Amino acid sequence: MTSHHGTQTMKPATAAKKLGVYLEATPAEFREGVVTREEFNALQADPPQWLRELRRDGPHPRPVVAAKLGVSISGLARGGVTEALTTEQIDALKQESPEWLRRERATQAEVRKEAVRLKEKRAEKAEKQAEDRS
């Protein structure tokens, strides 16, 4: 008895998300088809010109915009940024440094600090439990 595995495919939206690009900015042939695992791996290993340009210049999807600005996706929304932005627009926002961006960056810094504190606390607790068992 042999089992036949079909070729793994993903929707263009999934592939774009994994590649970190804005789907609507990709070429039509990418958006309208399906992406096989082999095609996806090839895109990652040797990105075509359109993919390199999208990654460099944008427009970038919100998770990438948020990361480049150092804020959360929710922070983007609170700041009124709901659309994809180009690298140029992101750089302009960094230069302008509006109040909402400064506030959201400070919030993100606090969130990261708290995450580190909790991680250290869990590590200490695990270490103490390991000592108690020995």
Side-chain angles (χ1 to χ4, degrees):
M1 191 184 270
T2 60
S3 63
H4 297 284
H5 292 288
T7 304
Q8 278 189 324
T9 61
M10 62 183 86
K11 294 176 184 173
T14 303
K17 185 175 183 180
K18 289 178 180 239
L19 291 168
V21 295
Y22 186 57
L23 178 64
E24 284 72 22
T26 61
E29 60 269 12
F30 180 86
R31 286 193 310 271
E32 294 165 2
V34 293
V35 181
T36 66
R37 175 61 64 187
E38 292 76 27
E39 290 168 336
F40 179 77
N41 290 340
L43 286 170
Q44 283 188 307
D46 185 22
Q49 185 65 31
W50 65 264
L51 182 54
R52 288 194 303 270
E53 287 174 6
L54 271 181
R55 286 177 167 169
R56 183 185 61 237
D57 303 327
H60 303 287
R62 287 183 311 154
V64 174
V65 173
K68 286 179 178 277
L69 289 173
V71 300
S72 67
I73 295 172
S74 300
L76 279 182
R78 286 189 292 271
V81 178
T82 57
E83 297 299 315
L85 298 180
T86 63
T87 300
E88 191 176 309
Q89 291 169 313
I90 292 168
D91 291 343
L93 261 177
K94 287 178 179 178
Q95 287 294 317
E96 292 167 18
S97 192
E99 173 58 34
W100 73 264
L101 182 56
R102 291 193 304 273
R103 187 176 55 249
E104 291 299 334
R105 282 180 162 173
T107 299
Q108 269 307 97
E110 288 299 315
V111 167
R112 284 192 290 274
K113 209 159 71 176
E114 180 65 4
V116 167
R117 186 189 71 77
L118 291 173
K119 184 177 179 182
E120 289 171 351
K121 186 176 178 180
R122 283 192 295 273
E124 288 172 14
K125 186 177 179 180
E127 193 177 299
K128 185 171 177 359
Q129 288 175 342
E131 287 174 6
D132 290 348
R133 280 189 234 122
S134 17

